[in-house]
Amino acid sequence: MSITIENLHKHFGAYKALDNINLEVNSGELLALLGPSGCGKTSLLRIIGGMELADSGKLLFHGEDVQQRDARERNVGFVFQHYALFRHMTVFENVAFGLRVKPKKERPNEVEIKRRVHELLCLVQLDFLHDRYPAQLSGGQRQRIALARALAVEPKILLLDEPFGALDAQVRKELRRWLRRLHDELHITSIFVTHDQEEALEVADRVVVMNKGRIEQVGTPDEVYASPATPFVYQFIGNVNLFHSRDHAPWTEQHGDAVAYVRPHDIDISRTAQDNTALPVEVKLVRAIGSVVRVEVATNGSSELIAIELSRERFDTAPLLLGDKVFIRPRQFRVFATGDQHELSAT
Amino acid sequence: MAQFRAHSVLPGFNLALGFTLLYLSLIVLIPLSSLFFKTAELGFGGFWDVVTSERVVASLRVTFLTSLAAALVNTFFGLVVAWVLVRYSFPGKRIVDALVDLPFALPTAVAGITLATLYAPNGWLGQYFATYDIKIAYTPLGIVVALTFIGLPFVVRTVQPVLADVEAEVEEAAASLGAGRWDVFRRVIFPAIYPALLTGFALAFARAIGEYGSVIFIAGNMPYISEIAPLLIVAKLEQYDYAGATAIAVAMLLISFALLLGINALQWWTSRRGAR
Amino acid sequence: MSTQTNRKISTQESLAVTLLLVGIALAYLLLFLGLPLLAVFVEAFKKGWALYWAALQEPDAWSAIKLTFIAAAIAVPANLVFGVAAAWAIAKFEFKGKSLLITLIDLPFAVSPVVSGLVYVLLFGAQGWFGPWLQAHDIKLIFAVPGIVLATIFVTFPFIARELIPLMQAQGKEEEEAAVSLGASGWQTFWRVTLPNIKWGLLYGVILCNARAMGEFGAVSVVSGHVRGMTNTMPLHVEILYNEYNAVAAFAVASLLALLAVVTLVVKSLVEWQARGQGVRLQN
């Protein structure tokens, strides 16, 4: 089922949680809402799920306005950040809940409920835990049970609020891949909220980057990483070096008061100045981290460090030493007028 | 109206809040407001005449002084009891712990007749005091005994959880810096539990001021000496002097309110000092 | 090794101090709690079983017991419904004036029991606001059973609400939201999700509420009129017997109330123990 959001606004008191949101979610895609805490991503998810009401704007499921529809009538599966499993019910009863509360006419019989629940528990690979209570499960297991519970009512849309937020790093990575595989199997239109860029880029079909209640960019993971639409996206996704026009005129002069954004791996280092746009710098730090070598350099008299990433191979062809005087030049960069990035802080 | 409450998917807000407000108004607010309307009928002059009459002033003095004494006794011993229950283990501790709540569970009239019997000059305990010519039952001292019983759980129950939450590490840190046990208590533990202790004191004090059932049996109820204000209210009611009874009730409420406000201010002041 | 022992000593009191503190605490509790509890039963059985039984089988005693149960049987369910409704509104929703509402709910605890009775006399008594109207319609509330019930409801008003409000606030509303998103109706959510989560707190509140309802003296005394066999509850009956110097009978009835207190404490401890096993923290 597709979702259309038009001119959506939401205030909490004087605080603007959502400011004119327009978004199209395609049927069957896995979409990530990415942004720092307080950017409005969870509010947007809760509005789609019917947990909150928008102040104004349209929300359409498959072309049909659902704003007036109760949460329970939207046919949306919601996975809560802290799972919200019913603590007094077994895993089985948790998953069966959505089936048991159906109106009598639609309610499957006990045999059917049993079959469906076990099917779902097998799907999340936790059938052996069916008689445990939530308190007896690990975080990752709770997460998967919460998902099975949401899927039990066969939702047309699946919403996940920070699905991996409360898990430790190792489990996160595993579950991430597992969710992607599961989505490929089920093809339910799914939206998940996250503040972790790596998670969004790895799992989602498309990423919506949000900041301060606005959408900064919508695109595939590759698009938002390779061609960020705004300074915010540049800074939020991946690492970036900022070159102000007043300090590094060569790259930004034609733009007036502006800032050039350059990824650390988009910078070339050479011993000699190829042309007059190259910047003379001194090597301040060299550190090999696995297959990547991280080099930090500074221009003459500046304490601001510029981060550069080189592949190990490339580094080995021309090794650098602390204190070396070299020249750097960006292969690829984007320039934004200074006024546009007043809300940003440097990486 | 839209700003009155935040949206929620959960139903039943109007029903639940509506019923709550209706029930609250019918059972509590409207009846209590009658106190002030009745006092207003009396006028300020009439009110002042009632509450400054010699017998009323004496009863208020007895009430507040005995309540203060009982609350102080309970603050000291309550702290010791809480300390013992949190820090030490001994056989039967769970039973002792449960027994602390007895004054909440035992009807006050039962406590009253029992304490009166125990502390009467010929009672189990009263006879020992009688040999030293100390009368407890039927004197203000008896009132203090009854109010001590009534207020016993408050300090224990407010201090207990706070004391349990004082981290052992903090004490160990203080000890490792060379503080002796008494220093650790005075400088580390006591400041942490002081607000709870004050709360417990305030609760015990407030409860004692209003207490009636347990006191009247042991007090002897002699006007000017051992007559408490709640008893005077009942006496006025029995003479159908509604206005007089109400005036005393309002005076009691105002004085306790002022006292609690003072205690709250003190607590606020000390907690701010602690935060700095 | 020697530092280890030093460390241990420095965060604990010496044995002498420990024993002294335990001694003071136990002596204090024995003197003020243990002894009175024991005395109730000793005084009740002082003149033997026969007199004890006779005192309890007296018709007036019986009617007092009945009235006490009636008052509690009305007051506790009424305050239970109120407590659940208030806690639902306060814990699961955000609205203005919430903390004022919580303060108002606690109000009856701040009022002397005698004043609790007095306010109903002012409303419904012969010279009260509604007194003339009630008299004209031949309805008697004060010095009658309805007044006793009302006063009992008033003094036990906050018990269940103040138990449930913090408990439900701590539990949050995510589970209820999850239930609704899975298609459950309001009632289904309440019965299947909320109620099972608060049952221990609810039971705890009911026990405390019931103990106070059955034991209330001051408020009931003011509105009762003390008509033997008619408007006497057990605590009032105890008073009458005691004032008639019928100590054995007074303590016999009192022993029933003391037994109720003991049962209350036992059940209360059991509930606390159960709740702690499920990670629920109850308010005393």
Side-chain angles (χ1 to χ4, degrees):
Chain A
M1 182 166 301
S2 66
I3 305 170
T4 309
I5 295 162
E6 286 172 16
N7 309 103
L8 205 74
H9 289 264
K10 174 75 184 173
H11 290 78
F12 289 112
Y15 173 69
K16 249 186 204 175
L18 293 174
D19 186 7
N20 198 21
I21 299 290
N22 288 282
L23 183 64
E24 188 75 36
V25 186
N26 303 323
S27 190
E29 83 172 326
L30 178 52
L31 189 83
L33 295 180
L34 174 66
S37 59
C39 74
K41 55 192 193 300
T42 297
S43 297
L44 182 56
L45 194 78
R46 288 174 66 87
I47 287 172
I48 298 171
M51 309 283 154
E52 307 272 357
L53 284 184
D55 297 337
S56 63
K58 274 189 182 163
L59 172 63
L60 312 173
F61 286 2
H62 206 77
E64 198 182 328
D65 194 338
V66 292
Q67 289 258 64
Q68 298 310 314
R69 237 190 264 169
D70 253 15
R72 55 187 292 239
E73 291 160 359
R74 288 193 190 187
N75 212 350
V76 163
F78 205 102
V79 177
F80 291 79
Q81 187 175 2
H82 302 289
Y83 322 128
L85 292 177
F86 307 128
R87 66 197 97 180
H88 63 284
M89 295 183 196
T90 60
V91 163
F92 181 95
E93 285 304 321
N94 262 283
V95 178
F97 183 88
L99 302 172
R100 291 200 195 284
V101 297
K102 277 181 188 288
K104 242 197 181 113
K105 276 178 283 175
E106 299 165 36
R107 197 183 307 156
N109 63 31
E110 203 54 34
V111 180
E112 175 66 9
I113 289 178
K114 223 175 196 160
R115 191 188 64 74
R116 291 260 291 275
V117 172
H118 282 296
E119 198 178 278
L120 282 159
L121 287 175
C122 289
L123 183 73
V124 299
Q125 298 155 350
L126 290 177
D127 198 31
F128 66 104
L129 292 176
H130 65 92
D131 57 354
R132 302 282 183 87
Y133 286 88
Q136 300 167 298
L137 307 180
S138 73
Q141 289 169 340
R142 283 181 212 179
Q143 172 63 60
R144 286 191 274 167
I145 296 302
L147 191 59
R149 183 180 68 177
L151 291 173
V153 289
E154 296 177 340
K156 296 282 184 289
I157 293 167
L158 190 60
L159 305 175
L160 305 102
D161 187 6
E162 294 274 4
F164 315 114
L167 303 172
D168 51 44
Q170 191 57 37
V171 184
R172 263 176 114 105
K173 285 203 166 138
E174 266 168 47
L175 267 183
R176 217 137 88 179
R177 271 175 226 134
W178 173 80
L179 180 68
R180 181 68 239 186
R181 281 202 307 276
L182 191 73
H183 182 263
D184 291 342
E185 230 171 277
L186 301 171
H187 274 297
I188 302 174
T189 309
S190 306
I191 303 178
F192 74 99
V193 155
T194 181
H195 62 268
D196 181 343
Q197 39 144 324
E198 202 183 311
E199 202 165 281
L201 299 184
E202 191 180 318
V203 178
D205 294 321
R206 285 197 304 152
V207 177
V208 177
V209 185
M210 294 184 65
N211 183 36
K212 301 202 168 167
R214 291 166 174 272
I215 291 182
E216 296 271 336
Q217 185 173 9
V218 183
T220 63
D222 201 38
E223 279 165 6
V224 293
Y225 186 81
S227 19
T230 67
F232 174 80
V233 180
Y234 240 124
Q235 299 216 353
F236 193 72
I237 297 179
N239 297 319
V240 72
N241 292 298
L242 271 60
F243 295 92
H244 293 268
S245 55
R246 58 176 188 276
D247 303 329
H248 313 288
W251 308 334
T252 52
E253 55 191 344
Q254 61 268 54
H255 303 286
D257 193 12
V259 181
Y261 289 73
V262 188
R263 296 276 191 218
H265 53 79
D266 283 336
I267 296 178
D268 280 336
I269 302 181
S270 60
R271 295 273 172 190
T272 52
Q274 300 96 323
D275 53 40
N276 62 354
T277 65
L279 197 64
V281 294
E282 187 185 322
V283 176
K284 294 287 188 191
L285 179 112
V286 177
R287 185 142 297 174
I289 306 161
S291 60
V292 177
V293 180
R294 195 174 160 81
V295 180
E296 284 181 7
V297 301
T299 54
N300 230 351
S302 165
S303 63
E304 226 171 280
L305 293 171
I306 300 161
I308 303 168
E309 274 172 25
L310 301 171
S311 71
R312 168 88 63 166
E313 285 168 4
R314 202 183 166 101
F315 180 82
D316 286 344
T317 60
L320 293 167
L321 289 174
L322 225 61
D324 280 359
K325 309 272 195 207
V326 293
F327 294 89
I328 58 168
R329 205 180 59 164
R331 272 196 307 276
Q332 209 185 67
F333 63 91
R334 287 169 83 102
V335 180
F336 294 98
T338 308
D340 278 352
Q341 54 99 52
H342 61 277
E343 51 196 21
L344 302 181
S345 56
T347 8
Chain B
M1 193 62 197
Q3 290 300 311
F4 168 62
R5 78 174 173 107
H7 169 78
S8 171
V9 288
L10 301 180
F13 175 75
N14 290 337
L15 179 68
L17 188 70
F19 178 72
T20 299
L21 292 179
L22 180 73
Y23 190 79
L24 178 71
S25 304
L26 288 180
I27 299 291
V28 178
L29 299 183
I30 294 173
L32 277 183
S33 70
S34 68
L35 278 182
F36 294 92
F37 286 109
K38 194 76 195 173
T39 313
E41 268 175 39
L42 207 56
F44 184 76
F47 171 75
W48 192 247
D49 285 347
V50 174
V51 298
T52 52
S53 75
E54 217 176 324
R55 192 167 165 187
V56 173
V57 170
S59 77
L60 286 172
R61 192 171 51 227
V62 169
T63 299
F64 282 91
L65 286 181
T66 53
S67 297
L68 180 68
L72 286 174
V73 170
N74 272 325
T75 304
F76 176 74
F77 287 101
L79 177 60
V80 175
V81 171
W83 180 273
V84 166
L85 287 178
V86 170
R87 295 297 171 109
Y88 309 136
S89 58
F90 50 88
K93 179 171 143 177
R94 282 192 52 178
I95 296 173
V96 172
D97 193 17
L99 193 66
V100 168
D101 284 331
L102 181 70
F104 286 156
L106 192 71
T108 51
V110 177
I113 63 167
T114 311
L115 291 173
T117 308
L118 279 176
Y119 287 93
N122 60 350
W124 289 3
L125 295 168
Q127 57 183 316
Y128 299 109
F129 290 99
T131 53
Y132 299 102
D133 233 12
I134 302 171
K135 268 190 83 179
I136 294 182
Y138 319 124
T139 69
L141 212 52
I143 302 179
V144 175
V145 168
L147 295 180
T148 304
F149 173 86
I150 287 302
L152 191 143
F154 288 102
V155 172
V156 181
R157 291 304 186 222
T158 48
V159 171
Q160 224 175 352
V162 181
L163 191 58
D165 281 348
V166 174
E167 284 173 64
E169 270 188 17
V170 181
E171 286 176 53
E172 283 170 5
S176 76
L177 292 169
R181 196 60 193 143
W182 174 244
D183 283 323
V184 172
F185 175 77
R186 202 164 54 99
R187 293 172 184 274
V188 178
I189 302 172
F190 189 74
I193 59 174
Y194 177 67
L197 199 63
L198 208 55
T199 305
F201 167 80
L203 289 172
F205 189 38
R207 175 77 162 89
I209 288 169
E211 180 54 21
Y212 173 72
S214 61
V215 175
I216 53 162
F217 296 99
I218 199 173
N221 306 327
M222 283 176 335
Y224 303 101
I225 296 167
S226 62
E227 185 178 56
I228 56 168
L231 180 68
L232 210 50
I233 294 177
V234 174
K236 297 246 180 217
L237 269 180
E238 276 165 4
Q239 297 153 13
Y240 295 98
D241 180 6
Y242 287 9
T246 310
I248 302 172
V250 170
M252 272 176 68
L253 281 179
L254 290 179
I255 298 174
S256 355
F257 189 66
L259 281 170
L260 289 182
L261 215 61
I263 291 170
N264 272 339
L266 186 66
Q267 206 167 27
W268 179 78
W269 183 67
T270 51
S271 73
R272 261 177 62 97
R273 263 173 39 123
R276 227 186 299 159
Chain C
M1 193 60 213
S2 71
T3 49
Q4 185 106 27
T5 17
N6 257 336
R7 224 179 134 77
K8 228 178 149 42
I9 287 168
S10 60
T11 55
Q12 271 173 10
E13 296 76 48
S14 64
L15 186 65
V17 173
T18 305
L19 287 178
L20 181 69
L21 289 175
V22 174
I24 292 175
L26 291 184
Y28 179 67
L29 293 179
L30 185 76
L31 185 67
F32 276 97
L33 302 180
L35 216 52
L37 189 59
L38 182 69
V40 177
F41 293 100
V42 171
E43 292 290 332
F45 292 112
K46 214 174 187 175
K47 303 271 166 68
W49 277 94
L51 270 177
Y52 179 82
W53 275 121
L56 291 187
Q57 274 162 347
E58 218 219 330
D60 289 348
W62 257 114
S63 91
I65 292 170
K66 255 191 279 181
L67 183 56
T68 298
F69 274 82
I70 289 170
I74 297 171
V76 176
N79 286 333
L80 175 68
V81 173
F82 162 73
V84 171
W88 180 264
I90 288 169
K92 305 291 179 188
F93 298 89
E94 295 306 319
F95 58 93
K96 284 181 187 166
K98 191 192 271 195
S99 41
L100 175 67
L101 180 59
I102 295 174
T103 310
L104 290 178
I105 289 174
D106 267 350
L107 213 50
F109 277 171
V111 174
S112 169
V114 170
V115 178
S116 312
L118 166 69
V119 294
Y120 287 108
V121 175
L122 292 182
L123 282 185
F124 303 123
Q127 301 169 35
W129 282 356
F130 301 110
W133 186 88
L134 290 171
Q135 253 172 352
H137 292 78
D138 210 17
I139 303 170
K140 210 166 155 115
L141 294 183
I142 298 305
F143 307 140
V145 175
I148 291 172
V149 172
L150 272 177
T152 307
I153 291 178
F154 184 97
V155 293
T156 58
F157 183 87
F159 275 102
I160 296 169
R162 69 186 275 127
E163 195 60 49
L164 291 183
I165 291 167
L167 180 62
M168 281 165 72
Q169 274 176 330
Q171 287 179 344
K173 56 184 183 183
E174 268 207 343
E175 284 186 43
E176 280 81 6
E177 286 183 344
V180 170
S181 82
L182 290 168
S185 69
W187 282 115
Q188 281 173 324
T189 304
F190 177 74
W191 285 108
R192 288 167 182 252
V193 176
T194 308
L195 201 58
N197 277 337
I198 59 170
K199 63 180 176 212
W200 293 116
L202 200 72
L203 188 57
Y204 197 75
V206 166
I207 292 162
L208 297 181
C209 183
N210 181 63
R212 181 72 193 267
M214 291 191 164
E216 178 52 28
F217 178 77
V220 171
S221 164
V222 170
V223 296
S224 136
H226 307 273
V227 185
R228 279 185 98 144
M230 296 287 287
T231 62
N232 257 358
T233 62
M234 285 163 81
L236 298 178
H237 195 57
V238 168
E239 182 199 18
I240 290 184
L241 293 171
Y242 185 80
N243 287 343
E244 287 171 348
Y245 300 102
N246 189 351
V248 168
F251 277 102
V253 179
S255 74
L256 291 184
L257 290 168
L259 202 62
L260 168 78
V262 172
V263 170
T264 299
L265 291 184
V266 171
V267 178
K268 182 170 167 292
S269 299
L270 289 178
V271 172
E272 275 168 5
W273 181 65
Q274 271 290 337
R276 204 171 302 153
Q278 299 186 6
V280 177
R281 196 162 179 173
L282 302 169
Q283 310 284 312
N284 211 305

